[in-house]
Amino acid sequence: EIKALDMLAHLYRYGDDDGIEKDIKNAADYLLKISKVANEEKILEEFESDYYDQIFDLGKKFLYLKDTYIAVDLLKIVANVKDLSWKGLEEKRDEAQRLLQAQDLYEKGGEKFSLHIFSDNIFPSEKEKAEGVEIYKKAAELGNAKAQFELGEFYEDGECGLDENLETALSLYNKAADQEYLLAKNKLME
């Protein structure tokens, strides 16, 4: 069963000449199924590092798309690897843990700004904005491209208690764009 799932994951990740189009969401779904089966059979640690490389790469791609939950699920697999005997796996595990921590901070910071969205046009207090900005700064330092981009916007417009600073905004946009965050790339092209 695992070999069949792996073949399907590979086909969808890269596509083929027989009409199967590249579809990374389907590839990610099959990799998650492999992980589930392997966990049930207690053989996850027996997988080769290529499997973890695929999961890590797809997890990073999904992190800044709408399907953040898929990214988190994929990155958790790599973040929880115990057998680190393969070359480079420890670094990937550590980076997956860092990305998960940054995503968690980003979501907590976002809560500070979105608490009042549905409550009669009441906006976050200055204290909530300041708390959100501080959390976003931590997420940005850990490499969260969404936090980097949104902080860049705050600096560009002088919002949320931050002074207008175009140099800092540009730096943050570049960091987000370096991670292939499309909104940041578009912003830099303006």
Side-chain angles (χ1 to χ4, degrees):
E1 180 180 12
I2 287 177
K3 285 188 179 195
L5 292 171
D6 186 47
M7 287 175 51
L8 287 167
H10 184 82
L11 280 173
Y12 280 111
R13 181 160 186 210
Y14 300 106
D16 74 358
D17 295 333
D18 295 326
I20 295 180
E21 292 185 28
K22 184 177 176 178
D23 183 339
I24 63 169
K25 185 173 184 330
N26 272 335
D29 287 340
Y30 281 110
L31 288 170
L32 288 169
K33 287 176 186 175
I34 290 169
S35 175
K36 183 179 180 203
V37 170
N39 270 329
E40 289 169 0
E41 297 178 14
K42 306 219 183 298
I43 58 171
L44 188 59
E45 296 298 328
E46 295 175 19
F47 281 96
E48 295 180 12
S49 62
D50 179 56
Y51 170 75
Y52 293 109
D53 288 342
Q54 289 183 57
I55 289 176
F56 181 76
D57 292 343
L58 285 177
K60 282 181 66 175
K61 282 183 182 176
F62 275 102
L63 195 57
Y64 305 121
L65 301 173
K66 290 181 182 178
D67 296 323
T68 304
Y69 69 94
I70 292 175
V72 169
D73 288 346
L74 290 168
L75 290 171
K76 280 181 180 176
I77 293 168
V78 179
N80 293 318
V81 170
K82 292 174 182 48
D83 180 357
L84 301 173
S85 59
W86 295 298
K87 183 178 181 182
L89 192 53
E90 184 172 2
E91 291 83 13
K92 283 196 178 1
R93 184 211 50 199
D94 293 347
E95 186 173 354
Q97 290 171 346
R98 180 187 56 77
L99 289 169
L100 288 168
Q101 182 183 9
Q103 180 63 25
D104 184 53
L105 284 169
Y106 171 77
E107 290 171 7
K108 286 179 181 166
E111 289 171 5
K112 297 290 182 183
F113 298 108
S114 63
L115 286 172
H116 305 284
I117 287 178
F118 300 107
S119 60
D120 299 328
N121 294 325
I122 299 171
F123 296 99
S125 68
E126 293 305 312
K127 179 183 177 202
E128 289 168 324
K129 287 180 187 178
E131 290 171 352
V133 165
E134 289 308 309
I135 294 170
Y136 271 17
K137 284 180 179 179
K138 290 176 186 171
E141 286 172 17
L142 288 170
N144 185 283
K146 287 180 182 178
Q148 291 165 340
F149 176 77
E150 290 182 28
L151 276 173
E153 288 190 316
F154 295 161
Y155 277 110
E156 181 177 3
D157 299 330
E159 294 179 341
C160 296
L162 296 174
D163 292 331
E164 185 178 304
N165 186 326
L166 297 180
E167 186 177 318
T168 300
L170 185 60
S171 172
L172 288 162
Y173 291 146
N174 277 312
K175 287 178 181 179
D178 287 347
Q179 296 180 73
E180 303 299 321
Y181 190 55
L182 190 58
L183 292 175
K185 287 179 142 187
N186 291 340
K187 186 70 138 177
L188 290 170
M189 292 180 5
E190 291 179 355

